[in-house]
Every structure is written in structure tokens, then in C-alpha cells.
Amino acid sequence: MSKQELVVLGQDDQSAGCRPGMLTAPLDEDQAADLAKIFKALGDPVRLRLLSLIASRAGGEVCVCDLTPAFELSQPTISHHLKLLRQAGLIDCERRGTWVYYWVLADTLDQLSTFLTTTHKAEATA
């Protein structure tokens, strides 16, 4: 039997979840571009509300038919905003018959959360 040490991600300073080095180094160009795309998608109040509606839905997914009535916007406008959230990697969808169902991509929210939490921790220690 091996005597190797098991390292649990997120339990030491060397690993910060899926993005090691976020605590110890500034963002590189690729990381900054990825996060900027996400923040840009969230920079619109309609998209932020759509993400919130999808994320807070019991069962983890919601039909587009349940999203549209929450806004005083046309269906094509809602679809455009949902497309931008999908392109940013915040949500995904699946067509079932005539309806499309949406759900949040937790990995992207975790990435965003890690960045925001890391920034907060760095400011608190300075």
C-alpha cells in the first residue's frame, strides 16, 4: 500500500479550486478575457434577472415559457438575452418538443465566485 498524501482541493493555499494560482498571481490574458465575457453578459439588468430566475428555480431548470411573462419584452428579445447568457457559458439549454428548457452551469458560477471571493480575501488581508 502506498503512503502518498491525499490532497483535497481547496484545503490548502496551493489549490484554489479549478483555477490554481488565483490567490497568488494576477489574471493572465486568457483568464481575464474569459471573466470579462461573463461580466459583460451579466452587465445587463435583463440578463441578470434571467440568470437569477433560472438559478432560483426549483428543480434546477426552467422552461422559456415561464421566463417570458416575467418581462415586458418581446419573446425574440428574451431569446436574444438567453443566447448571450449561453454564449458566456452561464446557462445551457435543451429543446423538448416546442419548448426550450434552461439551467445554470454551476462550473461557470463557481469560477466567477472564486474570482470574487479571492479578490475580497486579498483586500481584507491588505
Side-chain angles (χ1 to χ4, degrees):
M1 190 147 208
S2 174
K3 292 187 178 184
Q4 294 177 345
E5 184 176 318
L6 177 64
V7 177
V8 179
L9 292 178
Q11 296 294 318
D12 63 356
D13 291 336
Q14 299 301 319
S15 63
C18 297
R19 292 238 182 214
M22 294 276 290
L23 287 173
T24 59
L27 294 172
D28 64 29
E29 288 182 35
D30 291 336
Q31 290 171 322
D34 289 346
L35 284 170
K37 183 173 66 169
I38 296 167
F39 280 117
K40 185 174 181 179
L42 293 175
D44 183 276
V46 172
R47 290 191 290 271
L48 195 55
R49 284 188 58 213
L50 280 167
L51 183 68
S52 175
L53 285 168
I54 296 167
S56 65
R57 188 63 172 229
E61 64 182 25
V62 62
C63 178
V64 70
C65 63
D66 295 326
L67 294 172
T68 306
F71 298 90
E72 292 183 15
L73 299 169
S74 68
Q75 185 276 326
T77 301
I78 297 295
S79 292
H80 171 73
H81 286 295
L82 290 166
K83 175 184 169 187
L84 293 176
L85 289 171
R86 276 192 0 257
Q87 289 174 339
L90 289 160
I91 62 172
D92 203 358
C93 65
E94 176 182 73
R95 178 172 292 281
R96 298 180 196 155
T98 58
W99 299 110
V100 179
Y101 288 80
Y102 291 88
W103 59 88
V104 170
L105 294 175
D107 289 345
T108 305
L109 292 182
D110 289 344
Q111 174 188 352
L112 189 59
S113 176
T114 298
F115 174 73
L116 293 172
T117 301
T118 301
T119 303
H120 176 68
K121 286 181 182 176
E123 290 174 359
T125 60

